[in-house]
Amino acid sequence: MKALVLIGGFGTRLRPITYTVPKQLIPVAGKPLLYHVFDLLPRDLEEVVLATGYKAEIVDAYVRAHPPPWPVRTVAEREPLGTGGGMKNAGGGMSDPFFLVNSDVVTALDAGDLLALHRSRGGVGTMTLAEVEDTKPYGVAALGANDRIEAFVEKPDPQDAPSHWINAGVAVWSASVLDRIPSGRPVSFEREVVPGLLAQGLYGYRLRRYWEDAGTPDRMLRAQQLLFADGRGGKGLLPHGALGRGPVAAGRGVVASGASFGPNVTLGDGATVEPGAHVENAIVMEGVVVGREAEVRNSLLGPGVRVAPGRRVVGETLGEGAQT
Ligand code: GTP
């Protein structure tokens, strides 16, 4: 069994951080988002194929330096091909069936269960579904008997949404779906291909635990809280000499003696939080310096950001090297 991971998007909603760091490598609860996605996959896969595009060489280098438990191959798009185009471009030699995973979802899932359900129902695909209040940014499923998906509408207007169950970004598909994707041009799998597959039997797998799409700053911070609460952020101990309360996932060489923390913080390698400063509900990437008595809350700070002493940073997303 193989898995295909879609990782070629621009991550525009996380700019300016994503101008230099691909979304999937932003650390969430102590490790890059992509590695939380990897954790969802079974350990005995034959191969994982990464359909990359934007910042492909950075993703490739990182994955080589931090190898996951299975062989990984990256297939980069020269121009963004969309989800379907990316699948087509990278999907040569896929297993039948295969896992398809979006690289920005945070959830708790037993992939073995998902596969077993797929096999027992025998359709063309089984899509994990999450129940959300606001369906607008997602693909929404109408469910029939045995959770068969009877209609699938991508990003509908609220009044047209057939339910609150949305495509959660992890699925099992028969390899035959790759034949249904036109080649050589951008294709949205969800808009152009999925509706035409319903007649072959597409089923839903309802997620009963947490789910978040970490595609915006607020949702990425929410995803971090969920991961910490699920124990997936490591021990979460406060850095040496720090005050306040964790969980805090601190990288190597962090200096934070005399600083204080609220819950849910990631500190990248070599970050410094000076005495009297306070950091809470935040992602602070490598090499950041938070000056004395400064305050950082509900924010994402890209690599090397400098926060001046006494400054308040609340609800901001700052790109690499920014000074405030
Ligand atoms: P935004 O620009 O903020 O919307 O983020 P995004 O570009 O990541 O888009 P979105 O969150 O809708 O993408 C869902 C998933 O599909 C993510 O895992 C993306 O990396 C992936 N994806 C989006 N577009 C492409 C593409 O053109 N090629 C490939 N290979 N993957 C894509």
Side-chain angles (χ1 to χ4, degrees):
M1 183 95 179
K2 298 188 183 186
L4 181 57
V5 183
L6 293 169
I7 186 175
F10 287 108
T12 52
R13 291 166 298 164
L14 283 157
R15 287 175 179 168
I17 291 191
T18 46
Y19 282 128
T20 58
V21 182
K23 170 164 63 175
Q24 290 75 12
L25 294 187
I26 298 177
V28 184
K31 67 181 176 187
L33 181 58
L34 179 61
Y35 285 70
H36 289 293
V37 172
F38 284 164
D39 285 345
L40 299 175
L41 296 171
R43 294 186 70 83
D44 58 354
L45 294 176
E46 188 189 334
E47 184 183 46
V48 172
V49 178
L50 305 181
T52 57
Y54 181 65
K55 306 260 176 234
E57 56 306 325
I58 300 180
V59 175
D60 200 42
Y62 191 93
V63 172
R64 278 174 201 279
H66 304 84
W70 356 255
V72 174
R73 187 160 54 89
T74 52
V75 182
E77 289 148 44
R78 266 182 243 118
E79 298 295 327
L81 290 172
T83 49
M87 289 166 68
K88 185 77 175 180
N89 189 53
M94 258 306 117
S95 57
D96 186 20
F98 64 98
F99 286 105
L100 176 71
V101 191
N102 279 2
S103 53
D104 45 12
V105 292
V106 158
T107 187
L109 166 75
D110 182 335
D113 245 27
L114 169 65
L115 183 59
L117 190 81
H118 175 77
R119 293 210 155 111
S120 74
R121 285 172 172 166
V124 71
T126 304
M127 184 185 269
T128 57
L129 302 172
E131 193 175 24
V132 299
E133 193 55 43
D134 176 17
T135 55
K136 202 159 182 253
Y138 305 111
V140 188
L143 295 164
N146 290 326
D147 284 345
R148 184 167 176 161
I149 297 178
E150 294 178 338
F152 185 80
V153 204
E154 186 65 14
K155 300 187 175 64
D157 286 334
Q159 69 275 11
D160 300 331
S163 80
H164 284 275
W165 289 94
I166 57 115
N167 176 5
V170 182
V172 177
W173 289 103
S174 149
S176 65
V177 303
L178 296 166
D179 302 333
R180 306 284 294 263
I181 304 173
S183 26
R185 68 166 174 90
V187 179
S188 162
F189 184 61
E190 298 76 14
R191 278 181 204 278
E192 292 184 52
V193 183
V194 170
L197 295 169
L198 300 183
Q200 295 176 51
L202 172 61
Y203 291 90
Y205 173 100
R206 300 185 200 224
L207 291 172
R208 297 290 177 189
R209 294 186 60 206
Y210 62 88
W211 177 86
E212 191 57 88
D213 153 22
T216 68
D218 284 353
R219 292 207 207 111
M220 188 169 264
L221 291 173
R222 170 89 186 123
Q224 171 161 270
Q225 290 171 17
L226 294 168
L227 289 167
F228 273 129
D230 194 27
R232 289 175 58 196
K235 291 205 180 91
L237 300 178
L238 287 177
H240 178 73
L243 315 163
R245 71 189 172 107
V248 173
R252 279 164 302 168
V254 162
V255 177
S257 191
S260 77
F261 292 90
N264 302 311
V265 173
T266 292
L267 294 174
D269 292 348
T272 300
V273 186
E274 292 181 352
H278 180 78
V279 181
E280 184 170 325
N281 192 37
I283 291 173
V284 172
M285 293 182 65
E286 68 267 16
V288 167
V289 178
V290 179
R292 279 177 182 267
E293 309 290 334
E295 194 181 320
V296 175
R297 288 179 199 269
N298 311 337
S299 294
L300 286 79
L301 309 187
V305 165
R306 292 189 162 253
V307 178
R311 183 99 196 175
R312 279 190 88 218
V313 176
V314 180
E316 291 191 44
T317 302
L318 302 178
E320 179 156 8
Q323 306 203 4
T324 183

